[in-house]
Amino acid sequence: MNTDRSPRRMADVLDDEEWERTVEDVLEESAHDTELGKRMGRDAIRVSIGEMSEGEFQEKYHEDVVEEFGVDNRPTKQVKSDE
C-alpha cells in the first residue's frame, strides 16, 4: 500500500489528464486557439515556479500572440532589433 501523502508538485499537475480536461472545458467556449491557451497556461505556471523566465515566456509566445490576436498588448517590453 502506498502511504506517500506528499503534495504533488505543480510541474506534475501540468501533465495530469484531469487538468487537461478542465483547461479544455474552460477554453472551448473561446473563439481563440485552445492549444495556444493550453501551452501558454502551462508555461505561465512554469514561470511562476521558476522553471522559465518571464523573458523566455514573452519571446516564445510573441509571434503566436500577434498571429492569434493581431497585436501583442501584453504589458511587457519587447526587445526591438535594429536589423
Side-chain angles (χ1 to χ4, degrees), residues 22-35 37-38:
T22 300
V23 170
E24 287 176 355
D25 289 345
V26 169
L27 294 174
E28 77 179 8
E29 295 180 21
S30 172
H32 299 290
D33 184 348
T34 300
E35 291 304 313
K38 287 192 294 189

Side-chain angles (χ1 to χ4, degrees), residues 2-69:
N2 183 358
T3 59
D4 180 16
R5 295 185 184 259
S6 61
R8 293 174 64 188
R9 295 178 320 122
M10 183 55 74
D12 295 334
V13 174
L14 294 175
D15 295 322
D16 184 80
E17 288 181 26
E18 184 177 339
W19 184 87
E20 182 89 13
R21 282 191 302 273
T22 300
V23 170
E24 287 176 355
D25 289 345
V26 169
L27 294 174
E28 77 179 8
E29 295 180 21
S30 172
H32 299 290
D33 184 348
T34 300
E35 291 304 313
L36 175 60
K38 287 192 294 189
R39 289 193 320 270
M40 288 182 77
R42 280 190 183 98
D43 283 343
I45 292 170
R46 288 184 176 102
V47 169
S48 74
I49 61 177
E51 289 183 0
M52 176 183 269
S53 74
E54 289 182 36
E56 290 170 323
F57 180 88
Q58 299 303 333
E59 184 176 326
K60 181 175 182 177
Y61 290 107
H62 175 70
E63 289 181 21
D64 291 334
V65 168
V66 170
E67 184 177 322
E68 182 68 20
F69 300 102

